[in-house]
Every structure is written in structure tokens, then in C-alpha cells.
């Protein structure tokens, strides 16, 4: 049986200083979380930020999910190997397909045959990071004769998934499945689906990591940050389906009907981000954390809400570290510690 993890993902809240990410990384190290996830949106390049954070000894890193329509397998493998070589930290990688807005509008790339593209990229990236010379002709990716000259870090390759096709690819190809903005009930459904797909592929079901936004006793500023951060996901097909399933179909319909983001933001209830997060008192966070583990998450990845008063999210990260160390808080010996230790 796998030991459940408690990790941290760097948040990139739109109304916060991007450099908050460095402070969140320090706080995660201080509190002894299992590993630090470093993704990217419209601020830092993930490899550059990971190298900056990893200059001092600390927890393992997981980079991504990175969008495979935007980066080639060779550039992903070089980036992972570069961070591992330059920092000396263990480095894993997560891959995904992102959204049409990010891929087509921001980067000018095509986003098509997403499940197939995800699978082919994962196979090539894994081969390269295992030190192999890549030879592959697929429907979406082609590579010939490339081999990394840096030491092969042989990382875990996780795949971000939403619908059944992506879950099937993750079950068949990934070392880990990544879910984001989901309720515990949706986690349970996805975990069950992955188990069935893996059984059909005659391989063990990969473990599941769940990104969960969190804040202890959030104030009005933090709730506004949360709502603003969710608006952009309401039009993305996978996220939209999950929010609709969670009972927020009217808000999704408003966003997908072409309403201005300001109108969507004003109509977005606090209950929507709360349905896919952990918010409230110490007791509320404890119950919610354990609900995600009970649903089948092998790793809960905390995305802390930061604020002017708490740019590193230390109150939230400290509270969850305390919860994970008490009896019944989690089914393992979490190595959380005081930031003063």
C-alpha cells in the first residue's frame, strides 16, 4: 500500500506578486512537505523557477503539468535533466494538454488529438529521461536520433487527466495521474475509472495526485483571489464538465455563453471554489483533507491562497502540516516540522 503524500504547488494568483512563489517554496520546505510542484502559466518558465528555488538543498520537485502541444518531448527532457543537474534535487515531471486558450491563443500552436498527443509525448519523454536514444514516429510526435548528454534522472512521469480518454491514457501510460479542481466524489470516480482502465491494460493502477486550493479561515481578500483564479477555468471543456457535475451548471453556462469575465466573476458564488478546495477552520481543513485521502488520492497537493498579510501562505501551510502530523490526520508519519526547527 502506498503511503499518502502531502505536497505543495506554487500558486500563481492573478492579483498577487509573482515573486510570492519563492516565499511559498521556502515555506513548503520549512514545514517539511513531501515535495514541491512547479507549474507555469503566464509568469515564470517552470525550469528557470525550479532552478532558482532548487539552488539550496530541499524537498524533491515535480515540474508541471507542462503542456505537450507547446513543448516538444526533447525540450521537456532537457529542461528536467537541466534542473536535476543544476540543483542536485530529485525532479519528477507532469505532462498535460492544457486548454485551447493557452495553446492556440497564447502560443499559436494547434491543440488536437489531445489524448494521443499526451500518450506519445509521455512515452518519448520517459525514454529520453531514462537515457535512451529516441526513435519514434507517431501521429502527433516524431523524433529521431536524439539522446540527452546530461545524466538521466529517470523521473516519475505523471499525466494530468480529465475525461475518460485522458484517464485511459494516464492509466495505460503514466506513472501517476494528476487531477485538479475536483471534489472528493469526483476523485473517487476518477480513481475507479483509472483502476478499470489499468486492469484492461494489464498493469497496476497508477497512484493519483490531486491539486487542492486551500486557505485557513479565508478573509474577503482571499475569497476574491479564489474567485478570480477560477473564472478562467469555467470555459475549458474538462473543467467546465467537472464544475457542472459539481452543481454549478448555471455559472458554467454563463461563462461559455460569452459573458465578459467581469460579469462571470460577479456571478461566481464562493461555494464554487469551496466545492473543489479546503477552506475554513482547522477542523474543516482536517475533515476535507481526509475526505480527499478517503476518496483515493495518494497525494494531496496544496495550492495555498496567499494574501498581502500572508504572501507565503504560511498560516494555511502550517495548519495543514499540523493536521497531517496528529493521529488520524493522515495514514503515515508525515515529516512536517515547525519553521523554527
Amino acid at each position: 500500500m502506498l503511503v499518502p503524500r502531502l505536497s505543495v504547488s506554487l500558486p500563481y494568483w492573478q492579483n498577487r506578486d509573482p515573486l510570492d512563489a519563492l516565499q511559498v517554496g521556502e515555506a513548503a520546505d520549512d514545514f517539511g512537505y513531501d515535495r514541491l510542484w512547479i507549474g507555469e502559466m503566464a509568469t515564470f518558465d517552470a525550469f528557470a523557477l525550479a532552478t532558482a528555488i532548487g539552488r539550496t538543498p530541499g524537498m524533491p520537485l515535480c515540474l508541471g503539468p507542462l503542456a505537450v502541444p507547446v513543448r516538444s518531448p526533447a525540450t521537456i527532457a532537457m529542461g528536467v535533466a537541466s534542473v536535476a543537474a543544476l540543483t542536485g534535487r530529485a525532479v519528477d515531471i507532469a505532462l498535460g494538454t492544457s486548454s485551447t486558450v493557452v495553446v492556440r491563443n497564447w502560443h499559436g500552436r494547434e491543440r488536437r488529438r489531445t489524448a494521443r498527443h499526451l500518450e506519445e509525448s509521455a512515452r518519448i519523454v520517459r525514454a529520453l529521461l531514462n537515457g535512451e536514444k529516441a526513435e519514434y514516429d507517431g501521429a502527433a510526435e516524431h523524433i529521431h536520433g536524439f539522446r540527452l548528454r546530461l545524466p538521466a534522472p529517470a523521473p516519475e512521469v505523471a499525466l494530468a487527466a480529465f475525461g475518460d480518454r485522458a484517464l485511459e491514457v494516464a492509466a495505460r501510460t503514466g506513472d501517476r495521474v494528476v487531477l485538479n479542481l475536483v471534489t472528493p466524489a469526483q476523485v473517487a470516480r476518477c480513481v475507479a475509472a483509472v483502476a478499470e482502465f489499468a486492469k484492461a491494460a494489464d498493469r497496476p493502477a497508477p497512484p493519483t495526485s490531486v491539486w487542492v486550493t486551500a486557505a485557513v479561515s479565508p478573509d474577503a481578500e482571499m475569497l476574491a483571489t479564489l474567485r478570480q483564479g477560477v473564472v478562467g477555468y469555467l470555459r475549458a471543456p474538462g473543467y467546465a464538465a467537472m464544475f457542472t457535475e459539481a452543481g454549478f451548471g448555471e455559472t458554467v453556462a454563463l461563462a461559455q455563453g460569452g459573458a465578459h469575465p467581469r460579469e462571470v466573476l460577479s456571478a461566481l458564488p464562493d461555494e464554487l471554489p469551496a466545492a473543489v478546495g479546503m477552506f475554513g477552520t482547522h477542523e474543516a481543513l482536517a475533515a476535507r483533507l481526509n475526505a480527499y485521502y478517503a476518496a483515493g488520492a495518494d497525494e494531496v497537493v496544496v495550492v495555498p491562497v496567499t494574501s498581502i498579510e500572508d504572501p507565503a501562505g504560511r498560516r494555511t501551510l502550517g495548519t495543514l502540516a499540523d493536521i497531517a502530523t496528529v493521529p488520524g490526520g493522515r495514514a503515515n508519519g508525515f515529516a512536517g516540522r515547525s519553521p523554527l526547527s
Side-chain angles (χ1 to χ4, degrees), residues 72-135:
S72 72
T75 59
I76 292 171
M78 286 191 294
V80 174
S82 297
V83 174
L86 293 170
T87 67
R89 294 201 193 192
V91 182
D92 293 318
I93 181 68
L95 306 176
T97 57
S98 194
S99 68
T100 300
V101 169
V102 172
V103 175
R104 185 177 300 169
N105 296 1
W106 293 6
H107 292 276
R109 299 290 186 264
E110 289 298 316
R111 184 180 184 270
R112 55 191 176 187
R113 305 189 71 171
T114 53
R116 183 66 178 270
H117 199 173
L118 183 62
E119 180 170 2
E120 292 183 2
S121 295
R123 294 187 184 281
I124 297 169
V125 167
R126 180 182 287 109
L128 292 173
L129 292 173
N130 284 339
E132 301 173 22
K133 180 184 287 188
E135 296 288 343

Side-chain angles (χ1 to χ4, degrees), residues 112-195:
R112 55 191 176 187
R113 305 189 71 171
T114 53
R116 183 66 178 270
H117 199 173
L118 183 62
E119 180 170 2
E120 292 183 2
S121 295
R123 294 187 184 281
I124 297 169
V125 167
R126 180 182 287 109
L128 292 173
L129 292 173
N130 284 339
E132 301 173 22
K133 180 184 287 188
E135 296 288 343
Y136 193 91
D137 272 312
E141 288 292 347
H142 307 268
I143 187 169
H144 296 281
F146 180 77
R147 188 200 302 270
L148 280 171
R149 294 183 61 193
L150 288 170
E156 176 183 83
V157 179
L159 301 184
F162 296 104
D164 282 345
R165 291 183 63 193
L167 288 170
E168 183 178 4
V169 167
R172 189 173 61 241
T173 311
D175 300 320
R176 178 172 291 272
V177 180
V178 185
L179 304 174
N180 183 32
L181 293 175
V182 287
T183 66
Q186 289 169 334
V187 172
R189 176 177 57 78
C190 290
V191 168
V194 167

Side-chain angles (χ1 to χ4, degrees), residues 271-298:
E271 290 80 7
L272 191 151
V276 293
M278 301 186 289
F279 308 107
T281 63
H282 182 287
E283 292 74 19
L285 264 63
R288 193 67 168 174
L289 177 63
N290 283 306
Y292 278 105
Y293 287 130
D298 295 278

Side-chain angles (χ1 to χ4, degrees), residues 217-243:
S217 302
D219 57 21
E221 177 196 352
M222 298 170 83
L223 292 173
T225 296
L226 275 167
R227 289 195 300 271
Q228 187 174 1
V230 168
V231 167
Y233 289 95
L234 294 173
R235 293 182 181 178
Y239 290 110
M242 289 191 175
F243 284 128

Side-chain angles (χ1 to χ4, degrees), residues 272-317:
L272 191 151
V276 293
M278 301 186 289
F279 308 107
T281 63
H282 182 287
E283 292 74 19
L285 264 63
R288 193 67 168 174
L289 177 63
N290 283 306
Y292 278 105
Y293 287 130
D298 295 278
E299 178 182 29
V300 172
V301 184
V302 180
V303 185
V305 182
T306 59
S307 65
I308 293 174
E309 293 185 357
D310 187 11
R314 280 185 173 269
R315 288 199 297 268
T316 296
L317 295 180

